[in-house]
Amino acid sequence: MTLDLSVADACLARHRVRVLGHGGPALLFVPGFGGGQASWEPVATRFASTHRVVLMDLVDGHALEDGAGPAYDNLWAHGTDLLELLGALDARDVTVVGHGLAGLGGLLAAIQAPRLFRRLVLLCPSARFLNDPSGYKGGFTRDHLNALMDLMDRDFTAFVEVLAGLAYGDKADPRFARELATRLATQDREALGVRLRQRLTCDHRADLAHCTVPCTVLQSHDDHYVPPTATDYLVSQLRHGTLHWLEASGHCPHITHPDVVARALQDVLRT
């Protein structure tokens, strides 16, 4: 899919796309919930000499700044956005590196147009965050979710601090959690709450087996958002899935342990 020039330009502007390097295969980095393209820079810039590195923002990662409210209500919309972006770049044989639910957005895009993708690299992904009566353990209960939403209504500052604390865990430098909490605190609380509930209640388990593109899962230890049970389930349901445990902790190892993530990604790209 190659887009009309004006449409392509609008797409690139909407996602604030930056391209580093000019040759080699395309390597697209997608930030997760609450993050922007800067979160990937410590890793992505290392590949600019060998790849056409693409950095982007998700629309609902910055739409609140424009007063647009919560942009999308499901990850399929993000998958469609990725396909449009690849059309705007006229990119083929792409490796998508997505953090958290952005990785699932890449997977949904690959289901729709597998010919465009070389592989997917999913960093700390989950197909389902809530526990399920069937025995699936996603890590969160309905009570956990309701408690978070109640805290948001009572004390928004404490709410964003809890979200940031869960993202980085107890082992990371506290400055990372403070920076994320500060960024989240600037967003509209109602819109942020809507997006959080949508993300924590999404269920893409049934979609995993439909992806024919090779997937590598990079997972850190002590991830408060993604327990090992959720990781094991996700990998087991992929047709062509491999799991690499990182010597890192927390849900955001590309920020706290960029060297570890970069080395793991280099190994993946060599295969």
Side-chain angles (χ1 to χ4, degrees):
M1 176 178 65
T2 302
L3 301 182
D4 175 84
L5 184 59
S6 61
V7 176
D9 287 345
C11 175
L12 298 178
R14 185 165 60 252
H15 293 284
R16 301 177 180 176
V17 170
R18 289 188 297 146
V19 179
L20 311 178
H22 302 285
L27 190 55
L28 172 62
F29 291 87
V30 191
F33 179 84
Q37 59 183 264
S39 66
W40 271 118
E41 285 183 355
V43 174
T45 52
R46 306 176 193 218
F47 296 88
S49 62
T50 56
H51 289 75
R52 184 188 183 197
V53 171
V54 181
L55 292 166
M56 63 170 292
D57 288 337
L58 295 174
V59 169
D60 73 352
H62 64 73
L64 297 178
E65 299 171 9
D66 305 323
Y72 300 151
D73 61 1
N74 63 72
L75 294 182
W76 284 102
H78 288 304
T80 301
D81 270 358
L82 288 182
L83 294 180
E84 185 181 51
L85 190 150
L86 295 182
L89 294 168
D90 195 19
R92 302 288 190 279
D93 202 28
V94 178
T95 295
V96 171
V97 186
H99 173 231
L101 283 174
L104 268 293
L107 184 143
L108 298 178
I111 290 174
Q112 297 175 75
R115 68 190 182 281
L116 297 180
F117 298 86
R118 173 180 292 190
R119 63 168 61 85
L120 303 174
V121 181
L122 315 180
L123 179 65
C124 301
S126 177
R128 170 75 166 172
F129 290 97
L130 286 181
N131 297 343
D132 189 273
S134 67
Y136 172 81
K137 300 296 183 183
F140 285 81
T141 67
R142 287 282 178 183
D143 287 344
H144 289 148
L145 177 59
N146 292 336
L148 272 176
M149 296 298 100
D150 179 64
L151 180 61
M152 182 192 71
D153 293 335
R154 291 186 291 104
D155 189 338
F156 189 64
T157 298
F159 168 71
V160 295
E161 289 175 351
V162 168
L163 291 185
L166 288 173
Y168 290 104
D170 301 326
K171 298 180 181 179
D173 187 326
R175 69 184 172 87
F176 292 118
R178 287 197 298 268
E179 289 170 359
L180 177 57
T182 299
R183 186 163 63 250
L184 293 175
T186 65
Q187 300 189 8
D188 177 86
R189 69 177 62 191
E190 181 178 355
L192 180 62
V194 168
R195 288 191 291 130
L196 178 66
R197 182 180 289 276
Q198 288 167 345
R199 299 309 185 261
L200 290 182
T201 57
C202 73
D203 188 352
H204 290 284
R205 289 175 293 175
D207 299 314
L208 298 175
H210 296 292
C211 182
T212 59
V213 175
C215 299
T216 299
V217 173
L218 304 180
Q219 180 61 50
S220 57
H221 301 275
D222 300 316
D223 182 343
H224 293 327
Y225 281 106
V226 186
T229 50
T231 300
D232 291 341
Y233 177 88
L234 185 147
V235 176
S236 73
Q237 298 302 302
L238 294 170
R239 291 194 193 183
H240 307 290
T242 57
L243 172 61
H244 178 91
W245 284 97
L246 301 170
E247 291 301 320
S249 62
H251 188 59
C252 304
H254 57 314
I255 298 174
T256 58
H257 301 79
D259 292 342
V260 172
V261 174
R263 285 196 297 270
L265 182 54
Q266 286 169 347
D267 289 342
V268 172
L269 296 177
R270 291 192 191 105
T271 60

